[in-house]
Amino acid sequence: MTTRNVAIVGTQWGDEGKGKLVDLLTPAFSIVARYQGGHNAGHTVFVNGRKFVLHLIPSGILHAGVTCVIGNGVVVDPEALFAEIDELRREGIEPVGRLFISERAHVILPYHRDVEQAAEAARGDRRIGTTARGIGPSYEDKSGRRGIRMADLADADPDGPLGQTIRANVCARNRTVDGEELDWRSVRQDLLAAWPRLEPLVADVSRLLDDGGRKGRRILFEGAQGTMLDLDHGTYPFVSSSNGTVGGICAGLGVPPRAIGEVLGVSKAYSTRVGGGPFPTELGGAFGEALRESGDEYGASTGRPRRVGWFDAVVVRHAARLNGLDALALTKLDVLDGLAEIKLCTHYRCGDQVLNDVPASVGRLASCKPQYETMPGWSRPTAGLRRFDDLPVEARRYIARLEEVTGQTVAIVSTGSDRNDTIIRPGSAAARWLA
Ligand code: IMP
């Protein structure tokens, strides 16, 4: 079998544990590439008890010698990028020299954050609950053909295209945002001051990946957010502003479809979401509270408490089809340790209809009633287990049922936050990737 590239995507609402999976699989790859989103993502990785939270830079950076790529589909806030580079340096990791950002990637500017706050406030009860990082307005400028790309930043002429675009965008911002006006000249100055630090990172990423592929270097594509936050296929409008599903890879990195190879979907053993929007299996009350605490379900980027719920097979089937999954990684199984029973949503009821697929309308999704199967829980802890056969029989039955209702094979089970607290099932796709 020829070596192949692998994509890692979230099958729920983000926060599935993709960072840990990328970190785990990186030793088998030479390049790790992000294709969408921005520093709204929060990929938490524990290595030898040290916690790293990466927002923008691919988690592969924690491995010496691995090239990390930020594609044109990602929106980059220079301040956030520099903060992350500085943080890595404090931990003894030097990203410069092996971190490359597409010259076509769009830049997030301070006015994007202001515009987002104003838009969220105007939405009132229907606010999306964004991460307030300026992600959406930056993508809006991109689609509106008024965005600023990395390649534009070398333009030092105040009357040149960069100066003119900043001026027009800041004037538009000043018309829509109440309060203190921004001075376009200082926005431009800050950007020009950032350029010498950005310049050594900027590259033709599509060319870099193509050259790497020709030399037999394997690429791991790192998705951010999750399928249900995908701009087109998620719970629109309660979504992020990019395509986190595999479809985003070609456009977001400049690679052809055949470069993708295989796809690993990541699912938590239950569900979570941050921000507004429908969440059929959501658990409220003391039980939900207890699950949030035992899973430490607080946003890696914003610290916000995550909403928690039972595993939703309708959602994961949706993700499996959209992404063409080859296997699933099931994370945070240990968080369910000690529960007397565990519920698993297999389909929805909406009025007198049975639904096996996620409806497009959020209003309809919000009125869906999840239909559950109840399974016995397990009392013996799974935390830290590293062999599938060591799992309690009830946990193995839960996984087997989950495989049946999603139509997927669980290749990896994560039983703790550390890189080593992981079960790779012998003979699975994951075992083959790591061989
Ligand atoms: P935005 O991406 O900041 O525009 O936020 C849009 C929605 O996506 C909000 O509900 C956010 O909470 C959610 N979101 C964005 N990034 C992540 C993530 O990495 N994990 C979980 N939710 C996210």
Tab-separated table of all heavy atoms in Angstrom, residues 377-427:
chain	number	residue	atom	x	y	z
A	377	GLY	N	-24.040	1.455	31.952
A	377	GLY	CA	-22.710	2.064	32.061
A	377	GLY	C	-21.718	1.075	32.654
A	377	GLY	O	-21.989	-0.115	32.739
A	378	TRP	N	-20.558	1.556	33.070
A	378	TRP	CA	-19.529	0.689	33.637
A	378	TRP	C	-18.992	1.325	34.903
A	378	TRP	O	-18.951	2.553	35.025
A	378	TRP	CB	-18.411	0.427	32.636
A	378	TRP	CG	-17.880	1.672	31.945
A	378	TRP	CD1	-16.852	2.447	32.353
A	378	TRP	CD2	-18.378	2.272	30.732
A	378	TRP	NE1	-16.662	3.493	31.483
A	378	TRP	CE2	-17.584	3.410	30.473
A	378	TRP	CE3	-19.411	1.964	29.840
A	378	TRP	CZ2	-17.796	4.238	29.371
A	378	TRP	CZ3	-19.612	2.798	28.737
A	378	TRP	CH2	-18.819	3.904	28.511
A	379	SER	N	-18.645	0.472	35.869
A	379	SER	CA	-18.160	1.027	37.139
A	379	SER	C	-16.631	1.019	37.200
A	379	SER	O	-16.029	1.878	37.832
A	379	SER	CB	-18.749	0.249	38.320
A	379	SER	OG	-18.548	-1.116	38.101
A	380	ARG	N	-15.999	0.049	36.500
A	380	ARG	CA	-14.531	-0.002	36.509
A	380	ARG	C	-13.997	1.105	35.601
A	380	ARG	O	-14.465	1.253	34.467
A	380	ARG	CB	-14.087	-1.384	36.005
A	380	ARG	CG	-12.619	-1.678	36.209
A	380	ARG	CD	-12.342	-3.182	36.129
A	380	ARG	NE	-12.827	-3.836	34.922
A	380	ARG	CZ	-12.195	-3.807	33.739
A	380	ARG	NH1	-11.071	-3.142	33.601
A	380	ARG	NH2	-12.698	-4.446	32.687
A	381	PRO	N	-13.040	1.928	36.093
A	381	PRO	CA	-12.606	3.066	35.281
A	381	PRO	C	-11.883	2.666	33.996
A	381	PRO	O	-11.138	1.680	33.968
A	381	PRO	CB	-11.647	3.840	36.197
A	381	PRO	CG	-11.441	3.021	37.399
A	381	PRO	CD	-12.388	1.866	37.405
A	382	THR	N	-12.129	3.464	32.952
A	382	THR	CA	-11.409	3.256	31.686
A	382	THR	C	-10.231	4.230	31.593
A	382	THR	O	-9.405	4.095	30.692
A	382	THR	CB	-12.318	3.505	30.465
A	382	THR	OG1	-12.672	4.884	30.448
A	382	THR	CG2	-13.570	2.653	30.508
A	383	ALA	N	-10.209	5.193	32.502
A	383	ALA	CA	-9.201	6.263	32.430
A	383	ALA	C	-7.801	5.678	32.338
A	383	ALA	O	-7.405	4.854	33.164
A	383	ALA	CB	-9.323	7.174	33.647
A	384	GLY	N	-7.070	6.086	31.311
A	384	GLY	CA	-5.676	5.691	31.155
A	384	GLY	C	-5.472	4.325	30.527
A	384	GLY	O	-4.327	3.921	30.300
A	385	LEU	N	-6.544	3.587	30.217
A	385	LEU	CA	-6.356	2.247	29.617
A	385	LEU	C	-5.775	2.370	28.203
A	385	LEU	O	-6.082	3.310	27.477
A	385	LEU	CB	-7.678	1.468	29.580
A	385	LEU	CG	-8.253	1.091	30.949
A	385	LEU	CD1	-9.532	0.265	30.783
A	385	LEU	CD2	-7.232	0.300	31.779
A	386	ARG	N	-4.944	1.409	27.833
A	386	ARG	CA	-4.239	1.506	26.540
A	386	ARG	C	-4.436	0.284	25.646
A	386	ARG	O	-3.840	0.184	24.585
A	386	ARG	CB	-2.746	1.748	26.794
A	386	ARG	CG	-2.545	3.095	27.478
A	386	ARG	CD	-1.167	3.387	27.941
A	386	ARG	NE	-1.191	4.627	28.725
A	386	ARG	CZ	-0.118	5.242	29.169
A	386	ARG	NH1	1.072	4.753	28.931
A	386	ARG	NH2	-0.232	6.350	29.870
A	387	ARG	N	-5.253	-0.685	26.141
A	387	ARG	CA	-5.544	-1.878	25.323
A	387	ARG	C	-7.049	-2.053	25.248
A	387	ARG	O	-7.731	-2.006	26.288
A	387	ARG	CB	-4.932	-3.122	25.967
A	387	ARG	CG	-3.446	-3.341	25.635
A	387	ARG	CD	-2.845	-4.409	26.549
A	387	ARG	NE	-3.833	-5.386	27.003
A	387	ARG	CZ	-4.019	-6.601	26.461
A	387	ARG	NH1	-3.265	-7.003	25.482
A	387	ARG	NH2	-4.942	-7.413	26.943
A	388	PHE	N	-7.546	-2.292	24.053
A	388	PHE	CA	-8.992	-2.379	23.875
A	388	PHE	C	-9.592	-3.478	24.753
A	388	PHE	O	-10.640	-3.298	25.371
A	388	PHE	CB	-9.316	-2.642	22.395
A	388	PHE	CG	-10.753	-2.403	22.070
A	388	PHE	CD1	-11.241	-1.117	21.881
A	388	PHE	CD2	-11.645	-3.471	21.977
A	388	PHE	CE1	-12.582	-0.891	21.610
A	388	PHE	CE2	-12.987	-3.249	21.701
A	388	PHE	CZ	-13.451	-1.954	21.514
A	389	ASP	N	-8.891	-4.597	24.835
A	389	ASP	CA	-9.438	-5.728	25.586
A	389	ASP	C	-9.499	-5.465	27.086
A	389	ASP	O	-10.173	-6.192	27.819
A	389	ASP	CB	-8.601	-6.995	25.317
A	389	ASP	CG	-8.766	-7.447	23.876
A	389	ASP	OD1	-9.724	-6.985	23.222
A	389	ASP	OD2	-7.929	-8.248	23.401
A	390	ASP	N	-8.781	-4.433	27.553
A	390	ASP	CA	-8.836	-4.092	28.983
A	390	ASP	C	-10.073	-3.269	29.336
A	390	ASP	O	-10.362	-3.057	30.518
A	390	ASP	CB	-7.577	-3.302	29.400
A	390	ASP	CG	-6.335	-4.180	29.380
A	390	ASP	OD1	-6.496	-5.422	29.371
A	390	ASP	OD2	-5.220	-3.629	29.367
A	391	LEU	N	-10.778	-2.771	28.332
A	391	LEU	CA	-11.975	-1.953	28.626
A	391	LEU	C	-13.048	-2.829	29.258
A	391	LEU	O	-13.190	-4.005	28.876
A	391	LEU	CB	-12.543	-1.352	27.331
A	391	LEU	CG	-11.717	-0.266	26.632
A	391	LEU	CD1	-12.348	0.068	25.275
A	391	LEU	CD2	-11.637	0.986	27.501
A	392	PRO	N	-13.829	-2.292	30.192
A	392	PRO	CA	-14.951	-3.069	30.736
A	392	PRO	C	-15.884	-3.500	29.597
A	392	PRO	O	-16.008	-2.772	28.596
A	392	PRO	CB	-15.673	-2.074	31.653
A	392	PRO	CG	-14.731	-0.929	31.860
A	392	PRO	CD	-13.758	-0.932	30.742
A	393	VAL	N	-16.518	-4.645	29.773
A	393	VAL	CA	-17.342	-5.196	28.694
A	393	VAL	C	-18.444	-4.207	28.288
A	393	VAL	O	-18.774	-4.067	27.105
A	393	VAL	CB	-17.890	-6.597	29.072
A	393	VAL	CG1	-18.842	-6.525	30.256
A	393	VAL	CG2	-18.542	-7.258	27.881
A	394	GLU	N	-18.982	-3.463	29.267
A	394	GLU	CA	-20.064	-2.513	28.943
A	394	GLU	C	-19.540	-1.391	28.040
A	394	GLU	O	-20.258	-0.905	27.163
A	394	GLU	CB	-20.663	-1.895	30.213
A	394	GLU	CG	-21.348	-2.874	31.154
A	394	GLU	CD	-20.375	-3.563	32.117
A	394	GLU	OE1	-19.153	-3.323	31.995
A	394	GLU	OE2	-20.842	-4.315	32.976
A	395	ALA	N	-18.286	-0.983	28.270
A	395	ALA	CA	-17.702	0.078	27.438
A	395	ALA	C	-17.491	-0.457	26.022
A	395	ALA	O	-17.745	0.239	25.034
A	395	ALA	CB	-16.371	0.542	28.036
A	396	ARG	N	-17.072	-1.711	25.915
A	396	ARG	CA	-16.866	-2.299	24.583
A	396	ARG	C	-18.214	-2.432	23.854
A	396	ARG	O	-18.303	-2.221	22.655
A	396	ARG	CB	-16.171	-3.659	24.699
A	396	ARG	CG	-14.656	-3.480	24.846
A	396	ARG	CD	-13.932	-4.784	24.925
A	396	ARG	NE	-13.914	-5.276	26.301
A	396	ARG	CZ	-14.039	-6.545	26.651
A	396	ARG	NH1	-14.187	-7.481	25.736
A	396	ARG	NH2	-13.994	-6.887	27.923
A	397	ARG	N	-19.276	-2.747	24.641
A	397	ARG	CA	-20.605	-2.863	24.017
A	397	ARG	C	-21.104	-1.496	23.546
A	397	ARG	O	-21.733	-1.376	22.502
A	397	ARG	CB	-21.610	-3.461	25.009
A	397	ARG	CG	-21.402	-4.933	25.157
A	397	ARG	CD	-22.606	-5.615	25.804
A	397	ARG	NE	-22.240	-7.000	26.063
A	397	ARG	CZ	-22.293	-7.596	27.251
A	397	ARG	NH1	-22.743	-6.928	28.308
A	397	ARG	NH2	-21.932	-8.842	27.400
A	398	TYR	N	-20.815	-0.475	24.360
A	398	TYR	CA	-21.215	0.891	23.976
A	398	TYR	C	-20.535	1.270	22.650
A	398	TYR	O	-21.175	1.767	21.717
A	398	TYR	CB	-20.831	1.871	25.095
A	398	TYR	CG	-21.144	3.327	24.793
A	398	TYR	CD1	-22.449	3.752	24.528
A	398	TYR	CD2	-20.132	4.288	24.762
A	398	TYR	CE1	-22.739	5.090	24.256
A	398	TYR	CE2	-20.408	5.630	24.497
A	398	TYR	CZ	-21.719	6.014	24.241
A	398	TYR	OH	-21.989	7.334	23.970
A	399	ILE	N	-19.241	0.966	22.566
A	399	ILE	CA	-18.493	1.304	21.343
A	399	ILE	C	-19.036	0.502	20.149
A	399	ILE	O	-19.232	1.041	19.055
A	399	ILE	CB	-16.978	1.055	21.546
A	399	ILE	CG1	-16.441	2.017	22.606
A	399	ILE	CG2	-16.213	1.213	20.234
A	399	ILE	CD1	-15.018	1.724	23.071
A	400	ALA	N	-19.329	-0.781	20.396
A	400	ALA	CA	-19.833	-1.627	19.300
A	400	ALA	C	-21.179	-1.097	18.792
A	400	ALA	O	-21.436	-1.037	17.578
A	400	ALA	CB	-19.972	-3.069	19.778
A	401	ARG	N	-22.027	-0.670	19.717
A	401	ARG	CA	-23.348	-0.141	19.307
A	401	ARG	C	-23.190	1.191	18.561
A	401	ARG	O	-23.879	1.449	17.571
A	401	ARG	CB	-24.236	0.019	20.557
A	401	ARG	CG	-25.644	0.428	20.256
A	401	ARG	CD	-26.387	-0.619	19.429
A	401	ARG	NE	-27.684	-0.147	18.973
A	401	ARG	CZ	-28.187	-0.388	17.764
A	401	ARG	NH1	-27.538	-1.127	16.873
A	401	ARG	NH2	-29.372	0.075	17.424
A	402	LEU	N	-22.255	1.977	19.069
A	402	LEU	CA	-21.976	3.260	18.424
A	402	LEU	C	-21.467	3.027	16.977
A	402	LEU	O	-21.824	3.757	16.054
A	402	LEU	CB	-20.904	3.905	19.284
A	402	LEU	CG	-20.782	5.384	19.364
A	402	LEU	CD1	-20.506	5.814	20.781
A	402	LEU	CD2	-19.630	5.710	18.502
A	403	GLU	N	-20.683	1.996	16.806
A	403	GLU	CA	-20.206	1.671	15.446
A	403	GLU	C	-21.383	1.263	14.554
A	403	GLU	O	-21.458	1.659	13.393
A	403	GLU	CB	-19.189	0.522	15.500
A	403	GLU	CG	-17.873	0.918	16.153
A	403	GLU	CD	-16.821	-0.190	16.093
A	403	GLU	OE1	-17.155	-1.349	16.434
A	403	GLU	OE2	-15.683	0.096	15.725
A	404	GLU	N	-22.308	0.485	15.139
A	404	GLU	CA	-23.460	0.043	14.339
A	404	GLU	C	-24.318	1.223	13.897
A	404	GLU	O	-24.692	1.333	12.741
A	404	GLU	CB	-24.330	-0.915	15.161
A	404	GLU	CG	-23.824	-2.339	15.169
A	404	GLU	CD	-24.554	-3.195	16.206
A	404	GLU	OE1	-25.560	-2.733	16.805
A	404	GLU	OE2	-24.092	-4.322	16.410
A	405	VAL	N	-24.626	2.111	14.852
A	405	VAL	CA	-25.571	3.187	14.513
A	405	VAL	C	-24.934	4.297	13.687
A	405	VAL	O	-25.640	5.073	13.052
A	405	VAL	CB	-26.280	3.763	15.770
A	405	VAL	CG1	-27.165	2.729	16.415
A	405	VAL	CG2	-25.296	4.346	16.760
A	406	THR	N	-23.600	4.364	13.678
A	406	THR	CA	-22.957	5.377	12.831
A	406	THR	C	-22.448	4.769	11.525
A	406	THR	O	-22.101	5.494	10.602
A	406	THR	CB	-21.751	6.035	13.536
A	406	THR	OG1	-20.790	5.029	13.858
A	406	THR	CG2	-22.160	6.780	14.790
A	407	GLY	N	-22.373	3.433	11.477
A	407	GLY	CA	-21.843	2.772	10.279
A	407	GLY	C	-20.339	2.957	10.131
A	407	GLY	O	-19.799	2.836	9.029
A	408	GLN	N	-19.661	3.269	11.220
A	408	GLN	CA	-18.220	3.545	11.175
A	408	GLN	C	-17.451	2.574	12.052
A	408	GLN	O	-18.014	1.980	12.965
A	408	GLN	CB	-17.942	4.972	11.687
A	408	GLN	CG	-18.561	6.049	10.834
A	408	GLN	CD	-18.034	6.021	9.414
A	408	GLN	OE1	-16.828	6.060	9.186
A	408	GLN	NE2	-18.936	5.923	8.448
A	409	THR	N	-16.135	2.470	11.784
A	409	THR	CA	-15.272	1.659	12.637
A	409	THR	C	-14.531	2.588	13.578
A	409	THR	O	-13.951	3.586	13.132
A	409	THR	CB	-14.216	0.926	11.768
A	409	THR	OG1	-14.925	0.202	10.782
A	409	THR	CG2	-13.364	-0.016	12.586
A	410	VAL	N	-14.543	2.271	14.858
A	410	VAL	CA	-13.773	3.066	15.816
A	410	VAL	C	-12.348	2.508	15.828
A	410	VAL	O	-12.096	1.400	16.286
A	410	VAL	CB	-14.408	3.024	17.227
A	410	VAL	CG1	-13.505	3.686	18.254
A	410	VAL	CG2	-15.771	3.701	17.204
A	411	ALA	N	-11.410	3.318	15.300
A	411	ALA	CA	-10.020	2.860	15.181
A	411	ALA	C	-9.187	3.269	16.382
A	411	ALA	O	-8.185	2.634	16.700
A	411	ALA	CB	-9.400	3.439	13.910
A	412	ILE	N	-9.604	4.364	17.016
A	412	ILE	CA	-8.833	4.907	18.143
A	412	ILE	C	-9.809	5.241	19.261
A	412	ILE	O	-10.886	5.777	19.010
A	412	ILE	CB	-8.100	6.210	17.723
A	412	ILE	CG1	-7.118	5.943	16.579
A	412	ILE	CG2	-7.379	6.858	18.909
A	412	ILE	CD1	-6.429	7.185	16.029
A	413	VAL	N	-9.420	4.916	20.488
A	413	VAL	CA	-10.215	5.325	21.651
A	413	VAL	C	-9.286	6.115	22.563
A	413	VAL	O	-8.191	5.649	22.899
A	413	VAL	CB	-10.777	4.099	22.419
A	413	VAL	CG1	-11.643	4.556	23.590
A	413	VAL	CG2	-11.577	3.185	21.494
A	414	SER	N	-9.717	7.301	22.945
A	414	SER	CA	-8.900	8.108	23.852
A	414	SER	C	-9.459	7.984	25.267
A	414	SER	O	-10.656	8.175	25.483
A	414	SER	CB	-8.911	9.564	23.393
A	414	SER	OG	-8.296	10.365	24.370
A	415	THR	N	-8.578	7.661	26.197
A	415	THR	CA	-9.020	7.396	27.573
A	415	THR	C	-8.402	8.390	28.571
A	415	THR	O	-8.353	8.122	29.762
A	415	THR	CB	-8.638	5.963	27.997
A	415	THR	OG1	-7.206	5.834	27.850
A	415	THR	CG2	-9.340	4.922	27.161
A	416	GLY	N	-7.912	9.499	28.053
A	416	GLY	CA	-7.314	10.507	28.940
A	416	GLY	C	-6.665	11.575	28.101
A	416	GLY	O	-6.531	11.422	26.880
A	417	SER	N	-6.258	12.671	28.750
A	417	SER	CA	-5.755	13.793	27.965
A	417	SER	C	-4.328	13.580	27.472
A	417	SER	O	-3.933	14.129	26.456
A	417	SER	CB	-5.871	15.091	28.756
A	417	SER	OG	-5.389	14.895	30.055
A	418	ASP	N	-3.548	12.755	28.143
A	418	ASP	CA	-2.164	12.573	27.720
A	418	ASP	C	-2.086	11.807	26.392
A	418	ASP	O	-2.912	10.940	26.118
A	418	ASP	CB	-1.364	11.815	28.800
A	418	ASP	CG	0.126	11.973	28.574
A	418	ASP	OD1	0.679	12.967	29.065
A	418	ASP	OD2	0.718	11.130	27.866
A	419	ARG	N	-1.058	12.151	25.617
A	419	ARG	CA	-0.808	11.492	24.325
A	419	ARG	C	-0.846	9.963	24.443
A	419	ARG	O	-1.343	9.255	23.583
A	419	ARG	CB	0.578	11.946	23.868
A	419	ARG	CG	0.973	11.573	22.496
A	419	ARG	CD	2.431	11.960	22.254
A	419	ARG	NE	2.613	13.337	21.835
A	419	ARG	CZ	3.817	13.938	21.759
A	419	ARG	NH1	4.905	13.289	22.089
A	419	ARG	NH2	3.916	15.178	21.360
A	420	ASN	N	-0.323	9.444	25.562
A	420	ASN	CA	-0.217	7.992	25.713
A	420	ASN	C	-1.498	7.305	26.201
A	420	ASN	O	-1.590	6.076	26.163
A	420	ASN	CB	0.925	7.664	26.685
A	420	ASN	CG	2.241	8.182	26.148
A	420	ASN	OD1	2.541	7.980	24.973
A	420	ASN	ND2	2.996	8.880	26.988
A	421	ASP	N	-2.438	8.097	26.689
A	421	ASP	CA	-3.688	7.496	27.169
A	421	ASP	C	-4.610	7.248	25.978
A	421	ASP	O	-5.657	7.891	25.791
A	421	ASP	CB	-4.364	8.417	28.197
A	421	ASP	CG	-3.564	8.508	29.481
A	421	ASP	OD1	-2.719	7.618	29.713
A	421	ASP	OD2	-3.756	9.476	30.243
A	422	THR	N	-4.210	6.294	25.169
A	422	THR	CA	-4.879	6.098	23.888
A	422	THR	C	-4.841	4.618	23.508
A	422	THR	O	-3.828	3.950	23.717
A	422	THR	CB	-4.130	6.884	22.779
A	422	THR	OG1	-3.929	8.211	23.234
A	422	THR	CG2	-4.902	6.903	21.490
A	423	ILE	N	-5.951	4.158	22.950
A	423	ILE	CA	-5.994	2.786	22.422
A	423	ILE	C	-6.015	2.876	20.894
A	423	ILE	O	-6.896	3.529	20.334
A	423	ILE	CB	-7.276	2.066	22.906
A	423	ILE	CG1	-7.270	1.935	24.438
A	423	ILE	CG2	-7.435	0.719	22.206
A	423	ILE	CD1	-8.618	1.530	25.031
A	424	ILE	N	-5.020	2.270	20.269
A	424	ILE	CA	-5.037	2.165	18.797
A	424	ILE	C	-5.438	0.737	18.507
A	424	ILE	O	-4.720	-0.198	18.900
A	424	ILE	CB	-3.633	2.414	18.181
A	424	ILE	CG1	-2.946	3.619	18.794
A	424	ILE	CG2	-3.703	2.446	16.650
A	424	ILE	CD1	-3.112	4.914	18.135
A	425	ARG	N	-6.554	0.543	17.862
A	425	ARG	CA	-7.008	-0.842	17.670
A	425	ARG	C	-6.158	-1.562	16.630
A	425	ARG	O	-5.978	-1.053	15.508
A	425	ARG	CB	-8.481	-0.862	17.290
A	425	ARG	CG	-9.316	-0.478	18.496
A	425	ARG	CD	-10.745	-0.429	18.169
A	425	ARG	NE	-11.377	-1.725	18.262
A	425	ARG	CZ	-12.688	-1.895	18.072
A	425	ARG	NH1	-13.446	-0.862	17.753
A	425	ARG	NH2	-13.220	-3.084	18.191
A	426	PRO	N	-5.635	-2.712	17.017
A	426	PRO	CA	-4.796	-3.472	16.079
A	426	PRO	C	-5.563	-3.759	14.787
A	426	PRO	O	-6.757	-4.041	14.827
A	426	PRO	CB	-4.493	-4.769	16.840
A	426	PRO	CG	-4.784	-4.458	18.279
A	426	PRO	CD	-5.832	-3.391	18.294
A	427	GLY	N	-4.890	-3.627	13.672
A	427	GLY	CA	-5.508	-3.928	12.379
A	427	GLY	C	-6.348	-2.784	11.824
A	427	GLY	O	-6.870	-2.877	10.715
